[in-house]
Amino acid sequence: MQITIRSVPEAQKRNPKEVLSKPLGFGRVFADRMFRMRWNEKKSWHDAEICAYEPLVLDPAALIFHYAQEIFEGLKAYRLPDGGVGLFRPKLNAERMNASARRLVMPEIPVEAQMQALTMLLRELKDWAPSAEGSSLYIRPTMIGVTPVLGVRPASDYLYYIICSPVSGYFEKGFAPVKVATSEEYVRAAAGGLGASKAGANYAASLLAAKVAKTKGYDQVVWLDAKEHRFIEEMGGMNIFFVYGKQLLTSPLTGSILPGITRDSILKLAPEMDLEVEECRLSVDKVTRDINSGKITEIFACGTAAVVTAVSIFSHKGTDCQVGNGEPGPVTTRLYNQLTGIQTGKLADTHGWTFRVL
Ligand SMILES: *Cc1c(COP(=O)(O)O)cnc(C)c1O
C-alpha cells in the first residue's frame, strides 16, 4: 500500500554541517524536518506530510498522557562510503512496530508505507547523516493515542511521527565497557505484559531501578525474570549475551524480552565467524559462578543505539564479579567490527541487510 505524502516547505533551515561539526551526544540534537500522519476509523492513515520539526499541540486529556498508549521504534541511517545513505534491516523495525501496535490495540501501518515515509524523509535529510566514525542518524518512529477522553479504552485517533537525531555514540564512554548490576527488587516486564513490545511504558517501569543502580556506581541494570528473579532477561534497553570461549549464549525470547534486531543479527552472523550460538535460559547463580571460574570469558549487550557494549563488572547481591580482564574481549570486539562494518558499507553485505534510501 502506498500513501500520499506531501512535503510542506519551510521558511528557515538550520545548517546541518554546522550542527554536525559540534559534539552530538545521543538524542539531544534533532534534524529540522519530521514525518507525521494521522489515523481515525473513518479515514484510516491520512494527512501524511513531511514538515518542520516542531512541538505537537495535544489536548491535555489526550489518552497518551493518562494511560501511556505509546509505542516507538529505533533504527539508524548510516553514511555509506559512496556518500549514499543506508538503513539496517528497517523492515524488521516496521514489522515490530506493527507487533507492538497489535499488543497496545493501536492501528498497524503497512510496512511498505513505513518504508516510503522513511525513504522520503531521509532523502530530505540527507545532509544530516554524519560520517564520523561511530556516528549515525538515529531515527525514532513513534505512535501515540491522542483522543481526548478519560475513560480507559484504546484511542480512536492516532498520531504517527518520525523524528531524527544525529548521534555520535550511545554511551558517554564510547566503546568503554560498562559496570552492571542485577535488580533484586524491581522487574522490567512480566510474562503476559508489555516486555516484548517497544512501548514507552516499559521504560517508565525501569527508571527507578536504573536510578538505584546509578547511585551505587553502576551504569546499567540487568533484569531478571519477574516470576522467580532467577533467569537473566535483558540489560537496560539492550539484549545480553554471555561468551563461553567460542560459544555465545543468550536467553530465548520468553515473551517478556524485547526481540532485538541486533540480537537477531548476531545470532545469524556468529556461526559465519566460527562461533556457536545457543538460546537458553541462564540463571544468575550459574552466571556468577561461571564468571568467577573463568568459564564466561566475555559478556556484552547489544541494541541499535550502542550496537555492542562490553560488560566489565557484573554485580549480583552486592558482590562484584570482574568479567575476564575487565576490557572488551576479542569476541565482543569482532562482533562490533563485523556489525558496524556491514552497517556502514565497509564490509560486504552478504545478507542483503542494507536498505539504501539514497
Ligand atoms: C530496542 C530494545 C532492544 C534492542 O533492540 P534492537 O532492535 O537491537 O535495537 C532491546 N531491549 C529493549 C528493552 C529495547 O527497547
Side-chain angles (χ1 to χ4, degrees), residues 243 245-246 248 273 275 298 300 329-336:
V243 184
K246 290 201 147 195
L248 303 183
M273 297 169 67
L275 299 164
E298 302 173 40
F300 66 85
V331 172
T332 305
T333 309
R334 274 176 72 207
L335 284 166
Y336 176 85

Side-chain angles (χ1 to χ4, degrees), residues 96 188 198 203 234 237-239 258 260-262 303-304:
R96 189 169 65 188
R188 187 188 85 93
K198 231 169 159 62
Y203 281 81
E234 296 200 54
M238 307 172 85
N239 298 114
L258 198 287
I261 294 162
T262 319
T304 296

Side-chain angles (χ1 to χ4, degrees), residues 13-14 34 200 216 266 308 350 352 354 356:
K13 275 197 174 169
R14 279 194 299 162
M34 65 190 273
K216 294 182 183 164
I266 288 172
V308 171
T350 56
T354 297
R356 282 190 86 111

